[in-house]
């Protein structure tokens, strides 16, 4: 008697699982279609719609290991003029700052680890130059550096590569 009850229960459970599986296939197919459609840069970076589009940018760094801007918006394919100014007062040897624009897809922690060993080159690792879209020199208190570069459409991370800074000194540049 128990076998007569268990067998139909197994059949029902298997048929329900099979039906659920076909629903998941159609759901994943539509999800796949959505993922392949190219999202705009403004959709991928929250708050970018509130940032003014400008290819002339001024960023300040300070002794609290902060950039005064963490989200920048530029026009892709046109020259960007970026000025970094260290407004801090601590010496360059203990609180120097730079700004490195990394290419999309670069692992920030790995890059920063390599940068730690590059004190002789302003913490710009020569082994990772292909990961860099642009960079300033390392700045001490009151110093500034102006650089010019052009970005293709995309989202770029920028960091300070001075040892220990990248964890809090980073932001995004959206080139659209």
């Amino acid at each position: 008697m128990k076998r007569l009850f268990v067998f139909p229960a197994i059949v029902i459970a298997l048929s329900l699982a099979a039906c659920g599986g076909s629903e998941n296939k159609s759901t994943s197919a539509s999800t796949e279609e959505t993922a392949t459609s190219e999202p705009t840069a403004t959709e991928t970076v929250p708050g970018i719609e509130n940032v003014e589009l400008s290819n002339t940018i001024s960023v300040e760094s300070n002794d609290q290991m902060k950039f005064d801007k963490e989200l920048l918006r530029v026009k892709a394919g046109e020259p960007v003029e970026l000025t970094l100014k260290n407004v801090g007062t601590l010496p360059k040897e203990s609180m120097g700052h730079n700004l490195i624009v990394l290419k999309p897809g670069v692992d920030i922690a790995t890059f920063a680890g390599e940068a730690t060993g590059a004190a002789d080159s302003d913490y710009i690792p020569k082994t990772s130059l292909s990961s860099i879209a642009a960079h300033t020199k390392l700045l001490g208190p009151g110093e500034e550096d102006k650089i010019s570069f052009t970005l293709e459409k995309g989202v770029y991370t920028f960091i300070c590569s001075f040892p220990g800074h990248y964890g809090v000194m980073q932001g995004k540049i959206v080139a659209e």
Side-chain angles (χ1 to χ4, degrees):
M1 191 73 167
K2 285 184 182 180
R3 289 184 190 182
L4 290 176
F5 179 76
V6 172
F7 184 72
I10 292 173
V11 171
I12 291 171
L14 288 175
S15 60
L16 287 175
C19 289
S22 65
E23 283 180 32
N24 287 343
K25 287 180 187 173
S26 66
T27 303
S28 62
S30 65
T31 303
E32 204 170 295
E33 288 173 20
T34 304
T36 57
S37 67
E38 186 178 315
T40 63
T42 55
E43 291 175 16
T44 59
V45 181
I48 193 65
E49 66 279 355
N50 300 322
V51 176
E52 180 184 347
L53 179 69
S54 176
N55 281 34
T56 303
I57 302 165
S58 181
V59 177
E60 294 182 351
S61 58
N62 60 36
D63 291 341
Q64 289 73 43
M65 296 191 318
K66 296 281 185 189
F67 287 123
D68 70 330
K69 295 178 182 83
E70 295 177 351
L71 193 53
L72 307 170
R73 187 175 172 197
V74 300
K75 184 146 178 78
E78 294 184 7
V80 175
E81 297 287 328
L82 185 141
T83 302
L84 176 66
K85 183 171 184 177
N86 184 344
V87 297
T89 58
L90 294 173
K92 181 178 183 176
E93 297 76 27
S94 61
M95 193 57 70
H97 299 300
N98 60 16
L99 189 147
I100 300 177
V101 180
L102 298 173
K103 292 181 179 176
V106 172
D107 182 82
I108 299 169
T110 300
F111 179 88
E114 292 174 10
T116 300
D120 59 335
S121 59
D122 286 349
Y123 301 102
I124 310 287
K126 293 177 181 166
T127 56
S128 298
L129 291 177
S130 63
S131 300
I132 300 172
H135 68 85
T136 67
K137 64 183 181 179
L138 188 67
L139 303 176
E143 293 181 330
E144 67 179 58
D145 189 20
K146 185 176 183 176
I147 59 174
S148 182
F149 56 95
T150 302
L151 299 175
E152 296 177 8
K153 186 176 182 180
V155 179
Y156 298 78
T157 298
F158 65 88
I159 66 168
C160 174
S161 67
F162 191 88
H165 289 196
Y166 84 94
V168 291
M169 290 188 79
Q170 60 179 273
K172 301 271 185 215
I173 299 177
V174 176
E176 50 188 41

